[in-house]
Amino acid sequence: MIVAMHEAAGTPAAGGKARALGRLVSEGFDVPRFFVATDTPDEAELDTALAELGEGPFAVRSSGVQEDGVAHSHAGQFESILNVARGDVADAIARVFASDEAQGVAAYRAERGLAGGERPAAIVQVMVPAAFAGVAFSADPVSGRRDRIIVSATEGLGDRLVAGEIDGATWWIDAANGDVIESSGDVALTLDQIAAVTALVRRVEQAFGCAQDIEWAFAEGRLHLLQARPITSPLRDAPIDDPGLAVFDNSNIVESYPGIVSPLTFSFASYAYARVYMAFVALLGVSQETVRQNRTVFENMLVRVNGRVYYNLGNWYRALALLPGYALNRRYMETMMGVGAPLPDAVMAGIGGAPAHGLGKVREYLRIAGVALGLVRAAWKLPRTARDFRARLDRALAATTPERLRTMPLTALAAEYRRIESDLLDRWDAPIVNDFLCMIAFGASRRMLEKWLGADGLEIQNDVLIGQGDIISARPAQMIRAMGGIAAADPALTAALERDDRAAIAASALAEPIAAYIAEFGDRCTEELKLESVTLDEDPRSLHAAIGAAAYSRSPAPVRNADPLARLDAALRGKPVKRRLARVMLRWAKARVRDRENLRYERTRIFGRARRLLLAVGRQFHAHGLIADPRDIFLLTIHEVLGTIEGFATSGNLAGLAEVRRAEMARAAASHDPHERILVQGAAFTATHIGTVPIAAEQGSERRGTGCSAGRVTAVARVVRDPRTQHIASGEILVARHTDPGWIALFASASAIVVERGSLLSHSAIVARELGIPCVVGLSNATQWIEDGETIEVDGASGLVRRNAA
């Protein structure tokens, strides 16, 4: 009548559930002790069996012959009784036996064409005093996906969770790497406990050779396996293991495309990057045939992970590998790219070929010499190239004024967009040549001065690059400070700026200066390269707030060091060749940094005009009933927009596409940022499921970043995450994850700047040097380490930041 647990696996009469438990015991799983009653035992036999289990309480559950089978589980059909006292076990066994006669069981069998009449056995098992309990599935029984594991939990016993009476908490887990993809509920299971349950259900699946549904419980820190049965719902084929590797990195591009980026912006940026860099490598001597053969490399330099833009580093390396000299000096090129860590060997395999030797090395040096001559020629022609580029830009923008765009039909708008592509994006010569020369000039002059003069040389270089007076990126802050001076003389106007009283502002002395500012810099808004960003002419609140803050500014004029070139001459006295070479290199670097910022402003103008053109398309799509709102245009791709007008679109349901992507972007916005660098195994879409490691609390009161604008300030820190809704008071220190030219309104009031991302050539660094504001970039996790409102000290020369400064 009674079968011991070690014998259950080989006893057919013990039923499916008991036989599965017996097999788990033989495989070494931690299963609470049990026995099986196949018929009503006599009192003595029952007492003996219970004595081996202990004093109780016990769980008494069914184990039918057909129960927990591969085809049919009979889940919830038979009786299960928990917390049974020792004296009540016999009655509980009788109730389990009788549950076979329930109407629900008969209906279940009839629906599935199963024979009946076989009374279930009864499992008597030691009751586990669970702190947490639940179920786990080695595949998703709802979607049928085999690459997902699901863990559900509740506090205490899991019977109500199993019965569907409560929801508990659920975690969806990537079966490949164990990362939590999604979760719901608030049960306090730790990541280690989730990982333990995940590992347990995997082991059970391996033991039985098919997808499993288990019940589990944690008691006194110990994980128990209570039950296992096959998942009987239809499952999809298991994905084929994919050995492909890719590395995605956003450490540089986040300054241009922070946060969530719309489909329209991403598709526009992808096209622009492809066209610009194909032209760039051709300029450096790569043949048109080689560029054509590697077109897919250039067309996939960017990826979008959970709404965020990343570099596909493997393809950047493949593009660099086309250049002369790559095989000789790959590491130097990595430094020029700003890569913090090299790619894994598995990714690098096959990129660039083997190192050059013998005659191959000679040929490579000859190619490098050819590129060097080409760069010299490009540098000599750069002023004329830049003038021609600006002339093309001015002609293109003059033909597409905002007023004219509002009156153009769709076909004309599409034709105008194509003209911008061909005249500007396909001929991006001046900016890309200057950027490359700037990187060389800045790095070479910096290394030279550091080698010859040490820290003094680096300070001289910084001072040479400060106060050029013709960097356009500094003009917005200078104009805001000037308008702040006007407002300072009128307290009522300052109050109107603070409350964004547009009627009062329009009737004030600031009306004309603000209109002039917006006419020149209206597109230089926060996140200016994102087409979906709202421009200052649409919403000038941030500008008004910045002018109001500048009205209270009492910041002294920037203190400049003595003439840096005079200091250079003094430091290199008696070394005329070095002095002359240093002056030439500094003058060259100064010009390239200036032109880099000024040409980036031209990029802003192009993106601004593209934004207005595409918004005009959005208004027409809305008028034709294709989308629900004009700004839904940003939820489409360039290919879909132009295809709808020109005839190559693959779907006419633009409103449906927009709705799907709106939901996707909302989910992405609600999630944490993925890692700065992501190693992806397999297809790129799997990167969206890679979890984010919580940032550990930073310790210590001092940390060091990259000092890039000299000066020392002690003031209140203001941590700003969104400059459209947050502002800083005059004299406060701006602390941010990253900045772009749209943050310039906050620079006007800041006494110093601390940024998590960036380099010596980042926008933050260049504008801070121009304004004479101490600046530290590259201070990792600064917005978590520094508390909003605390006093900090910033040393813009050494890069030292100290919290709780006196």
Side-chain angles (χ1 to χ4, degrees), residues 24 62 83 86 122 177 215 225 227 260 262 268 285 337 356 387 426 518 537 617 680 689 695 703 720 729 742 793:
L24 292 170
S62 65
N83 285 315
R86 182 167 179 170
N177 55 33
E215 294 181 24
L225 178 56
Q227 179 177 325
I260 306 299
S262 74
F268 181 79
M337 281 180 62
R387 284 196 302 272
D426 288 352
I518 291 177
D537 59 336
V617 173
V680 182
H689 306 310
I695 298 174
R703 294 186 60 209
V720 177
E793 178 184 342

Side-chain angles (χ1 to χ4, degrees), residues 445-776:
S445 63
R446 192 166 186 82
R447 283 192 298 274
M448 176 189 296
L449 291 174
E450 185 177 25
K451 180 179 179 180
W452 290 349
L453 301 175
D456 288 342
L458 298 182
E459 186 174 333
I460 287 172
Q461 189 208 37
N462 271 348
D463 288 345
V464 168
L465 299 180
I466 288 174
Q468 298 195 49
D470 51 1
I471 290 183
I472 200 166
S473 295
R475 274 181 44 77
Q478 294 162 352
M479 293 174 71
I480 288 170
R481 285 177 174 175
M483 288 186 283
I486 296 173
D490 186 347
L493 177 55
T494 303
L497 290 165
E498 291 175 343
R499 65 176 183 271
D500 192 32
D501 185 341
R502 299 181 190 183
I505 296 169
S508 73
L510 283 178
E512 188 173 333
I514 288 176
Y517 182 99
I518 291 177
E520 186 172 3
F521 296 111
D523 288 319
R524 182 135 272 193
C525 55
T526 303
E527 302 178 356
E528 64 180 12
L529 296 186
K530 293 163 68 170
L531 299 175
E532 63 272 20
S533 295
V534 176
T535 54
L536 291 178
D537 59 336
E538 294 179 274
D539 186 357
R541 279 179 297 178
S542 61
L543 176 61
H544 294 163
I547 297 170
Y552 293 107
S553 176
R554 299 296 181 267
S555 301
V559 178
R560 307 291 190 191
N561 293 332
D563 181 3
L565 292 179
R567 286 157 45 211
L568 176 69
D569 291 344
L572 294 175
R573 184 176 292 111
K575 301 175 181 177
V577 175
K578 285 187 175 181
R579 184 173 68 245
R580 178 62 179 168
L581 182 58
R583 275 180 164 264
V584 169
M585 289 296 295
L586 282 173
R587 186 162 57 246
W588 189 38
K590 182 175 183 177
R592 299 289 69 75
V593 170
R594 176 202 62 211
D595 290 349
R596 180 176 186 262
E597 281 300 298
N598 292 348
L599 287 169
R600 284 190 169 192
Y601 172 65
E602 307 300 346
R603 179 184 64 179
T604 300
R605 295 173 67 199
I606 294 171
F607 275 63
R609 190 53 48 88
R611 175 188 293 115
R612 294 172 192 278
L613 188 153
L614 291 165
L615 267 174
V617 173
R619 287 191 291 270
Q620 288 297 306
F621 278 9
H622 179 250
H624 283 283
L626 297 177
I627 53 179
D629 184 271
R631 291 188 67 85
D632 283 356
I633 193 75
F634 300 119
L635 299 171
L636 307 175
T637 67
I638 285 290
H639 189 85
E640 290 162 350
V641 170
L642 295 176
T644 299
I645 300 171
E646 297 174 345
F648 57 85
T650 56
S651 173
N653 186 11
L654 300 186
L657 289 173
E659 201 56 41
V660 168
R661 289 174 184 156
R662 193 191 327 279
E664 288 176 346
M665 291 184 68
R667 287 193 297 271
S671 67
H672 295 293
D673 288 343
H675 303 299
E676 292 179 16
R677 174 171 283 201
I678 301 173
L679 179 63
V680 182
Q681 181 165 351
F685 74 87
T686 60
T688 60
H689 306 310
I690 293 176
T692 299
V693 177
I695 298 174
E698 298 285 350
Q699 302 297 320
S701 60
E702 293 185 1
R703 294 186 60 209
R704 194 178 298 272
T706 300
C708 49
S709 182
R712 182 175 294 174
V713 168
T714 299
V716 170
R718 189 63 59 205
V719 178
V720 177
R721 292 181 171 83
D722 185 351
R724 293 164 295 193
T725 58
Q726 294 176 268
H727 310 290
I728 66 173
S730 176
E732 292 182 334
I733 296 172
L734 171 63
V735 181
R737 291 191 65 196
H738 44 72
T739 67
D740 63 26
W743 290 63
I744 193 68
L746 277 70
F747 283 34
S749 300
S751 60
I753 300 167
V754 177
V755 187
E756 290 184 3
R757 307 285 188 92
S759 66
L760 290 164
L761 282 180
S762 66
H763 179 81
S764 307
I766 290 171
V767 175
R769 286 195 294 266
E770 185 72 9
L771 296 175
I773 301 171
C775 179
V776 174

Side-chain angles (χ1 to χ4, degrees), residues 246-590:
V247 176
F248 302 156
D249 192 294
N250 75 345
S251 53
N252 286 331
I253 199 169
V254 72
E255 186 174 355
S256 297
Y257 295 103
I260 306 299
V261 173
S262 74
L264 190 64
T265 290
F266 179 74
S267 61
F268 181 79
S270 294
Y271 177 86
Y273 269 75
R275 303 305 302 175
V276 165
Y277 283 96
M278 283 193 288
F280 174 60
V281 296
L283 178 71
L284 295 184
V286 179
S287 70
Q288 289 295 331
E289 177 60 21
T290 300
V291 172
R292 186 193 65 77
Q293 291 173 356
N294 290 274
R295 187 182 184 91
T296 56
V297 168
F298 293 99
E299 290 177 347
N300 291 281
M301 300 182 84
L302 302 183
V303 294
R304 190 165 175 261
V305 179
N306 204 20
R308 285 85 169 172
V309 178
Y310 281 70
Y311 286 138
N312 184 340
L313 279 190
N315 279 347
W316 280 87
Y317 275 73
R318 291 180 182 93
L320 283 176
L322 301 177
L323 299 177
Y326 176 85
L328 298 172
N329 207 342
R330 192 187 88 195
R331 296 302 178 196
Y332 178 68
M333 289 191 176
E334 287 175 349
T335 301
M336 292 174 68
M337 281 180 62
V339 175
L343 294 185
D345 290 340
V347 178
M348 289 302 303
I351 295 179
H357 297 286
L359 288 176
K361 201 168 186 177
V362 173
R363 284 194 296 270
E364 198 68 14
Y365 276 120
L366 289 174
R367 291 181 68 207
I368 293 172
V371 170
L373 289 174
L375 281 174
V376 170
R377 186 167 57 251
W380 179 73
K381 293 171 55 180
L382 185 58
R384 187 177 68 187
T385 305
R387 284 196 302 272
D388 291 345
F389 174 78
R390 288 192 173 96
R392 290 199 309 273
L393 174 61
D394 289 340
R395 284 196 302 270
L397 298 187
T400 57
T401 63
E403 295 75 17
R404 183 165 177 260
L405 288 174
R406 287 183 173 273
T407 64
M408 294 170 67
L410 284 171
T411 54
L413 289 170
E416 194 59 40
Y417 178 85
R418 294 298 191 186
R419 192 168 67 83
I420 289 176
E421 277 186 348
S422 60
D423 288 353
L424 298 174
L425 296 183
D426 288 352
R427 298 175 65 190
W428 198 258
D429 45 7
I432 199 68
V433 170
N434 187 80
D435 272 6
F436 192 68
L437 294 174
C438 177
M439 185 165 52
I440 294 173
F442 186 89
S445 63
R446 192 166 186 82
R447 283 192 298 274
M448 176 189 296
L449 291 174
E450 185 177 25
K451 180 179 179 180
W452 290 349
L453 301 175
D456 288 342
L458 298 182
E459 186 174 333
I460 287 172
Q461 189 208 37
N462 271 348
D463 288 345
V464 168
L465 299 180
I466 288 174
Q468 298 195 49
D470 51 1
I471 290 183
I472 200 166
S473 295
R475 274 181 44 77
Q478 294 162 352
M479 293 174 71
I480 288 170
R481 285 177 174 175
M483 288 186 283
I486 296 173
D490 186 347
L493 177 55
T494 303
L497 290 165
E498 291 175 343
R499 65 176 183 271
D500 192 32
D501 185 341
R502 299 181 190 183
I505 296 169
S508 73
L510 283 178
E512 188 173 333
I514 288 176
Y517 182 99
I518 291 177
E520 186 172 3
F521 296 111
D523 288 319
R524 182 135 272 193
C525 55
T526 303
E527 302 178 356
E528 64 180 12
L529 296 186
K530 293 163 68 170
L531 299 175
E532 63 272 20
S533 295
V534 176
T535 54
L536 291 178
D537 59 336
E538 294 179 274
D539 186 357
R541 279 179 297 178
S542 61
L543 176 61
H544 294 163
I547 297 170
Y552 293 107
S553 176
R554 299 296 181 267
S555 301
V559 178
R560 307 291 190 191
N561 293 332
D563 181 3
L565 292 179
R567 286 157 45 211
L568 176 69
D569 291 344
L572 294 175
R573 184 176 292 111
K575 301 175 181 177
V577 175
K578 285 187 175 181
R579 184 173 68 245
R580 178 62 179 168
L581 182 58
R583 275 180 164 264
V584 169
M585 289 296 295
L586 282 173
R587 186 162 57 246
W588 189 38
K590 182 175 183 177

